[in-house]
Amino acid sequence: MTGLATGDPGSPPQAGGQVPGVGSLADPSIVREPILAADVGSVVTRAYLLEVVAGSRRLIAIGECSTLGDDGVPDVRGSLSRALSECLRAGGRTWADAPRERALITSAGSLPRVAVIAPSGDDASIATGELESLPLVLLDPMVLDGQGLNPDVLTAYLESGEPDIVVLMSGTRPIDHERARGAVESIGLGLAINAPYLILAGDVQAFESLRPMVESQLAGMNQVTRPEPQPILQAVGRRIMESLYQRWHDPADREPLAKPGGSMIIHSSLHGVCVAARNVGDRYDVDVLAAHAGATYTMASSYSGPINQRRGVNVVRDDVGSSTGRLALLKEVGAASISRWLPYDIDEEALTDHARRVQAAPWQVPVTVRDLLIDHAFNRESLRVTLERLARRFDPERAWRAGARGVPKIPAPDLLIGSGGALARTPRLAQAVLQMLDAVQPAALTQLALDRATAMSLLGVLGYMGGTSAVGSELEHDVLLSLGICVAPVGVGNEGETAIRVVVSYSDKAPVEIDVPFGVIEVLPLPLGERAALRLYPSREFDVGLGRGEAAAPRVEVQGGAVGIVIDCRGRPLQLPDDDAKRQAKLLQWFQAMRAYPPLTFVEGN
Amino acid sequence: MAPTVTTLTRRLEIGDDAAPEATRDDLPRRRATIERGRLRRWRRWSGDYAVCAVQPGQTVAAGHNVATIYRKGRVRAIDVAGALGIAPDQVLKVLVRKPGEQVVEGDLLAEQRLFLGGRKRRIFSPAGGQLLYASTSSGLAYVSGPPSEAPVIAHVGGQVVTVGADSVLVEGNAISIAGVAGAGRAVGGRLLVAALPRDVPPDLTGSVVACAFPLDEATARNIATRGAVGVIAAGIESQAMVRLGWDEVLWPLVRPRFGGPSNDPAPPITIVLLSVSNDEAPEEIWRRVTALNGRPVSLLGREPGASPELVATLDGPSGGTPAHVTLEGMRSIRLRSGPGAGRVVSVEGLLTFPVQLPSEFEVQAARLDELDEYCPTGTQPIVACRDVQSLSTEP
């Protein structure tokens, strides 16, 4: 586990000043009170009312509105007012008796692009390893050898990557120090316009001779790491909090949420999602993968390994968000990658046109089923490319190319959590399940959950500040909806031949036995709150975790969910037929089996 | 046996929760809109420093310079040690100009005598500006170019309401035609209306061209190369958008920036689109645009805190009868927020509703039916049009 629990992302900033009226983030007195919170995103603003019910803090009401005004310009103050008013009204409260404790969660000003520059690959690995647990956009590191020694190459790297923060490692050898000093000069002098924040790390004495130049050219925009555990992580965390507080320093912006005499927490929503995923993993001692599809960014968070050696890796992409990143995604993966998820013909021009319309008005809901399907096709691909980026952290040696398809080699999760508005706002839960399964392609047995309340970031922030006592299991269940369990045998078989036999033994009715052929997805009912024993008999070509053809039965009864037991025999890796007609028929078949969409009549001429 | 396409389609068609498939006309979008009356417009800027040229209460015309912003010049690195063949720590010895001094392009920066002073190697400054720094680590000298300055013009003529550190608010009588997408800074010019591509004249110097038709690639290139400062168009052909590279300028990477402003690509001219596809201009809007033909107008593509629009300052104290965002023709709508959010309801009537928005004093609102459960007995629900989304024919 990383040092986040005691790290700086949640600490008051050392520089930039404490926001007046903002209480200490570590104040334990706030954890048991009702709380009024808001999550201000780039496209959507949400408000949450948490009350204490029978000794537990519960999520009572949510208000939601567009962050953008009618003119398309962000209207933070107005959207906060609208979302909070709606939330209070839904929760039966008025402004007069609204909870005293307030929390403001936001992604604005909290997602830096970070570049690591180091004299050697080993130094770069140290920095990227420390930073992998923070939600940030980590650019490919620049090593100061060969072409990296050319100041023009370095400047071009920084200008094209547009990092907000540069972590510069000093290295250990005198020649490393020389090269690092040259890089400092290039950053401090060569990037006078939009110079990034500079963090000097390693043997900081090596930079001493450059202090006057750094202080004159990057005044207030530099930091030297301190002697502390994980110094780079802490330094970047401090900078994130500084930026967050600077962004919300103007009392007018947060005025709708402020209350005289009351305290206000300000925190990063991205960090909240990461912490929530980690806390859920710790609480149930399971490996967790959270796939987050927001309007502006996508994120994949993996927490895996034994409880005391858990590795947390986060990857954020700010260019393929489900609303604002569609054109970029289309450019990256190509129209064929999007249209392969659609059960009807669509050309590149129509997809581009759709992407433009959504980017012009990100706060709109699809009206037709066709538009909904296009939205979901984009979501699948944006999650997939984000997961591929995550896989590179676990498998750095593998050659990756943009748009490459395949199953990312990330640790198989016990629990897959879907979060973000793009997944949470699906009209039917089965739609969210299908998107998650298609993007992640979990293998063997995986519990599925959805942040249906879009409050996972709040859950994480409360858990980060107050520990697990601030987030009771009741509140966790208010936020995370159990969808059920997915059984996905690994392997490839012949179409129509049985891939697995599943026997479900319910507590109150006769067992159900079902043979699921390869290429098919089926759902067996197991409602929320119910349990059943599973026995799995894969055929010779398939593996559910114990080897090919080996029968398996979970040691404990599986829990029900809002969707049920999903038996996904579409193969791992999931392969779509090359022929368009067959592929579209397959998709229709899967949608129908999951009852994911209203009856579709897209197939023409039959 | 796997179902065939035909059987599958039939199975899907007989489902119990069939939903009518709406037509393409139902696709919701932010509409181009018209405002008229006393409008307030912010001009905001970012830069290393700025000098404001107006004071509160002052009257300014559209196009008036309200501030000048200055940005640091680009810095060039010159490899002095490499070019002269000396060690980096000898750089300060060969410089003939001191760090901090101003230099002009071609000035001698450093020289190295060879062979007992008989021959010299010299380095001249490739650009004018300030010699910032010479590094004894890398052997580089850094020369900063002269700062650039850019004017910030008033977008609407009228009275300066407030002046801030990085903004000016001006209020005046004007008509605004807002588009759904745009790029580029605010520019001013005389409006030139073209109903067809062939109506675009050869000389467009200093003008803002309004096209009633969707832009094709040739017309867009002509407008950009014939001296126009901006274009407002009904729409654009998809292929033209791709070939012109306007996707990148109209929708640059939108992300919640961590630090300063992002380096968005600059468009060739200021662009405002009334729709993002191959559409003709809405009749009502185009009638208003045509009425402004030949008048001085401002066109704003996209700037911090401002949306794409064409603004024409009106003469006279009132600016005529305000014509606000219209809901005419809208019968079925979806509520975007507030009580009943997500519901689809019918519009019963329209009225003017005093809603305070950043840029307008009142908007038209819809009086709705079918929301009785959210309202006290005897009252009728009213929703501002900003909170509704059209599900029927666009006006």
Side-chain angles (χ1 to χ4, degrees):
Chain A
M1 193 62 57
T2 69
L4 275 178
T6 55
D8 271 305
S11 303
Q14 300 298 309
Q18 181 86 14
V19 178
V22 176
S24 164
L25 301 182
D27 182 356
S29 64
I30 58 175
V31 300
R32 288 291 183 191
E33 298 296 320
I35 194 165
L36 183 63
D39 185 349
V40 182
S42 303
V43 175
V44 181
T45 294
R46 297 184 179 89
Y48 310 95
L49 176 63
L50 273 62
E51 302 270 22
V52 177
V53 179
S56 298
R57 191 185 259 166
R58 305 295 299 269
L59 179 63
I60 298 299
I62 299 175
E64 182 179 283
C65 70
S66 167
T67 306
L68 307 174
D70 198 41
D71 50 7
V73 176
D75 175 18
V76 172
R77 186 187 163 96
S79 63
L80 256 180
S81 289
R82 291 197 297 277
L84 289 166
S85 298
E86 190 179 323
C87 178
L88 287 171
R89 187 166 51 229
R93 290 252 199 175
T94 64
W95 279 105
D97 66 349
R100 202 175 135 269
E101 303 302 339
R102 309 289 168 90
L104 177 64
I105 308 167
T106 180
S107 58
S110 67
L111 178 60
R113 294 168 71 83
V114 178
V116 171
I117 301 173
S120 70
D122 289 344
D123 287 321
S125 298
I126 291 169
T128 53
E130 276 194 41
L131 293 174
E132 69 180 14
S133 63
L134 276 182
L136 41 79
V137 179
L138 193 56
L139 307 178
D140 288 336
M142 165 67 89
V143 177
L144 296 173
D145 60 7
Q147 283 292 308
L149 290 173
N150 184 339
D152 292 337
V153 171
L154 182 61
T155 305
Y157 164 73
L158 294 170
E159 285 182 344
S160 60
E162 283 191 77
D164 303 295
I165 298 173
V166 170
V167 176
L168 180 61
M169 304 291 287
S170 69
T172 51
R173 301 169 300 168
I175 192 168
D176 292 344
H177 297 169
E178 282 298 321
R179 290 173 176 179
R181 279 197 287 267
V184 172
E185 289 168 1
S186 294
I187 295 164
L189 298 161
L191 293 175
I193 304 168
N194 292 337
Y197 189 93
L198 180 62
I199 292 174
L200 303 172
D203 181 3
V204 295
Q205 294 297 324
F207 300 115
E208 204 50 46
S209 64
L210 294 171
R211 290 303 297 171
M213 187 276 287
V214 171
E215 288 302 338
S216 67
Q217 296 295 324
L218 297 168
M221 288 289 288
N222 70 90
Q223 194 182 139
V224 176
T225 52
R226 304 169 187 171
E228 57 194 341
Q230 297 187 300
I232 299 165
L233 173 78
Q234 307 294 343
V236 173
R238 273 192 292 274
R239 178 57 191 158
I240 291 175
M241 289 309 294
E242 275 178 15
S243 169
L244 202 55
Y245 277 67
Q246 282 165 3
R247 167 65 186 82
W248 292 95
H249 191 76
D250 184 356
D253 273 353
R254 59 176 198 276
E255 187 271 334
L257 188 59
K259 182 160 189 166
S263 61
M264 186 193 295
I265 303 151
I266 298 180
H267 205 90
S268 156
S269 57
L270 294 152
H271 189 236
V273 172
C274 300
V275 174
R278 186 192 65 193
N279 286 353
V280 169
D282 287 350
R283 183 193 291 271
Y284 301 104
D285 192 14
V286 291
D287 291 351
V288 175
L289 175 64
H292 183 91
T296 312
Y297 57 83
T298 55
M299 183 164 70
S301 303
S302 168
Y303 289 91
S304 58
I307 193 80
N308 292 323
Q309 303 162 33
R310 199 171 282 269
R311 182 182 179 190
V313 183
N314 295 296
V315 161
V316 189
R317 289 199 62 170
D318 59 357
D319 55 346
V320 294
S322 64
S323 294
T324 60
R326 292 203 177 181
L327 284 167
L329 179 67
L330 203 52
K331 202 170 176 180
E332 179 175 331
V333 303
S337 292
I338 306 289
S339 61
R340 69 189 172 123
W341 298 111
L342 295 171
Y344 56 88
D345 293 330
I346 187 166
D347 60 19
E348 183 171 358
E349 189 171 325
L351 279 175
T352 307
D353 194 50
H354 180 92
R356 288 186 189 125
R357 287 176 190 273
V358 172
Q359 293 210 184
W363 171 251
Q364 63 175 6
V365 292
V367 173
T368 68
V369 179
R370 279 175 182 259
D371 290 331
L372 188 68
L373 284 161
I374 296 176
D375 280 1
H376 293 171
F378 272 102
N379 291 346
R380 283 176 171 89
E381 284 300 302
S382 63
L383 282 175
R384 186 183 64 78
V385 296
T386 308
L387 287 157
E388 280 189 355
R389 194 69 67 86
L390 179 72
R392 287 167 61 175
R393 299 284 174 79
F394 290 99
D395 195 4
E397 301 304 319
R398 181 173 167 181
W400 291 90
R401 60 182 174 83
R405 296 176 190 174
V407 185
K409 299 293 182 191
I410 49 183
D414 302 310
L415 172 64
L416 172 61
I417 301 174
S419 72
L423 290 174
R425 290 172 69 189
T426 50
R428 298 184 184 186
L429 293 170
Q431 295 164 8
V433 169
L434 268 177
Q435 289 176 64
M436 289 158 63
L437 296 185
D438 292 345
V440 179
Q441 299 186 31
L445 265 73
T446 311
Q447 193 77 33
L448 306 174
L450 180 67
D451 173 21
R452 186 68 164 173
T454 56
M456 197 163 156
S457 54
L458 177 64
L459 203 66
V461 171
L462 294 176
Y464 179 69
M465 293 178 320
T468 50
S469 65
V471 184
S473 57
E474 294 88 352
L475 179 58
E476 211 164 74
H477 288 131
D478 288 342
V479 173
L480 291 177
L481 174 67
S482 173
L483 297 172
I485 194 164
C486 172
V487 178
V490 177
V492 177
N494 293 322
E495 190 81 18
E497 289 182 4
T498 299
I500 190 170
R501 172 174 293 175
V502 178
V503 180
V504 185
S505 302
Y506 297 98
S507 58
D508 57 350
K509 54 186 172 187
V512 171
E513 184 175 319
I514 181 172
D515 286 348
V516 184
F518 177 71
V520 169
I521 188 167
E522 289 285 355
V523 182
L524 292 175
L526 183 60
L528 269 171
E530 292 190 10
R531 288 170 178 271
L534 272 188
R535 277 175 290 158
L536 310 172
Y537 302 97
S539 62
R540 282 181 304 174
E541 304 300 322
F542 292 91
D543 179 6
V544 288
L546 297 181
R548 288 191 172 196
E550 294 294 329
R555 278 172 293 183
V556 295
E557 291 183 321
V558 297
Q559 295 186 9
V563 172
I565 302 168
V566 180
I567 305 161
D568 184 355
C569 291
R570 299 177 299 168
R572 292 292 182 266
L574 193 156
Q575 286 172 337
L576 290 164
D578 292 331
D579 179 72
D580 281 346
K582 287 181 181 170
R583 176 181 54 77
Q584 292 173 6
K586 265 287 170 210
L587 289 170
L588 287 169
Q589 181 188 350
W590 295 340
F591 294 167
Q592 175 73 358
M594 294 287 290
R595 298 189 63 77
Y597 298 92
L600 307 171
T601 55
F602 296 129
V603 181
E604 293 160 2
N606 288 288
Chain B
M1 187 179 128
T4 65
V5 171
T6 308
T7 57
L8 193 61
T9 307
R10 192 172 300 126
R11 271 172 55 191
L12 291 170
E13 283 173 342
I14 58 173
D16 57 0
D17 50 357
E21 190 68 16
T23 64
R24 293 302 304 175
D25 289 343
D26 288 354
L27 185 71
R29 56 180 181 261
R30 260 188 63 225
R31 295 165 298 138
T33 56
I34 305 171
E35 287 179 83
R36 184 170 174 173
R38 288 195 71 76
L39 305 182
R40 287 184 166 199
R41 289 294 182 268
W42 284 100
R43 291 312 314 278
R44 299 182 195 276
W45 57 81
S46 60
D48 295 318
Y49 65 100
V51 176
C52 189
V54 294
Q55 293 180 338
Q58 188 177 335
T59 301
V60 295
H64 187 103
N65 189 13
V66 295
T68 304
I69 52 177
Y70 299 89
R71 294 191 173 91
K72 288 180 187 170
R74 185 177 178 81
V75 176
R76 293 185 181 212
I78 303 158
D79 188 359
V80 175
L84 298 184
I86 59 173
D89 59 2
Q90 301 296 309
V91 163
L92 289 175
K93 292 179 183 172
V94 298
L95 279 182
V96 297
R97 308 295 291 267
K98 290 193 175 74
E101 283 186 23
Q102 292 292 327
V103 295
V104 297
E105 185 177 344
D107 272 2
L108 181 65
L109 277 187
E111 66 178 359
Q112 165 79 341
R113 289 174 181 275
L114 302 173
F115 302 113
L116 303 172
R119 288 177 57 192
K120 295 175 185 173
R121 280 183 182 165
R122 290 174 168 169
I123 290 183
F124 300 94
S125 177
Q130 186 184 28
L131 178 60
L132 274 184
Y133 184 79
S135 169
T136 54
S137 298
S138 60
L140 299 176
Y142 294 86
V143 175
S144 166
S148 62
E149 61 178 73
V152 180
I153 63 166
H155 190 32
V156 61
Q159 197 169 42
V160 176
V161 180
T162 58
V163 174
D166 59 356
S167 59
V168 167
L169 177 63
V170 180
E171 179 183 322
N173 289 321
I175 181 167
S176 158
I177 292 154
V180 299
R185 62 191 177 88
V187 291
R190 198 160 293 279
L191 187 70
L192 201 156
V193 177
L196 295 167
R198 64 170 181 268
D199 297 338
V200 179
D203 184 14
L204 302 171
T205 306
S207 60
V208 172
V209 183
C211 299
F213 51 90
L215 279 176
D216 57 87
E217 184 185 348
T219 308
R221 287 193 192 281
N222 283 341
I223 291 171
T225 55
R226 290 179 186 173
V229 294
V231 60
I232 177 169
I236 185 166
E237 292 176 358
S238 186
Q239 278 306 311
M241 184 95 92
V242 173
R243 289 178 58 83
L244 292 165
W246 282 10
D247 272 331
E248 282 72 24
V249 298
L250 288 167
W251 294 282
L253 187 58
V254 179
R255 55 178 186 239
R257 289 296 298 178
F258 183 79
S262 60
N263 296 323
D264 295 340
I269 53 174
T270 297
I271 306 161
V272 172
L273 297 177
L274 300 181
S275 88
V276 294
S277 54
N278 197 5
D279 290 345
E280 298 290 331
E283 190 180 337
E284 165 74 5
I285 288 177
W286 195 249
R287 194 167 55 76
R288 302 278 186 158
V289 173
T290 307
L292 298 171
N293 192 15
R295 295 186 61 152
V297 296
S298 300
L299 191 71
L300 191 148
R302 184 184 51 248
E303 288 190 354
S307 55
E309 64 176 354
L310 173 85
V311 173
T313 303
L314 302 174
D315 301 322
S318 68
T321 308
H324 297 284
V325 176
T326 178
L327 289 168
E328 290 294 347
M330 194 183 286
R331 290 291 171 260
S332 179
I333 60 164
R334 183 194 299 274
L335 297 175
R336 298 199 313 186
S337 65
R343 290 272 304 271
V344 176
V345 295
S346 305
V347 179
E348 194 178 76
L350 304 173
L351 72 164
T352 303
F353 193 61
V355 175
Q356 186 77 41
L357 296 178
S359 60
E360 57 189 330
F361 296 107
E362 57 188 15
V363 297
Q364 201 168 46
R367 192 166 51 232
L368 306 172
D369 202 355
E370 307 164 41
L371 277 177
D372 296 342
E373 70 270 30
Y374 294 104
C375 297
T377 309
T379 63
Q380 198 161 22
I382 296 170
V383 177
C385 69
R386 66 183 308 187
D387 293 330
V388 304
Q389 180 183 40
S390 170
L391 296 184
S392 57
T393 310
E394 297 288 345

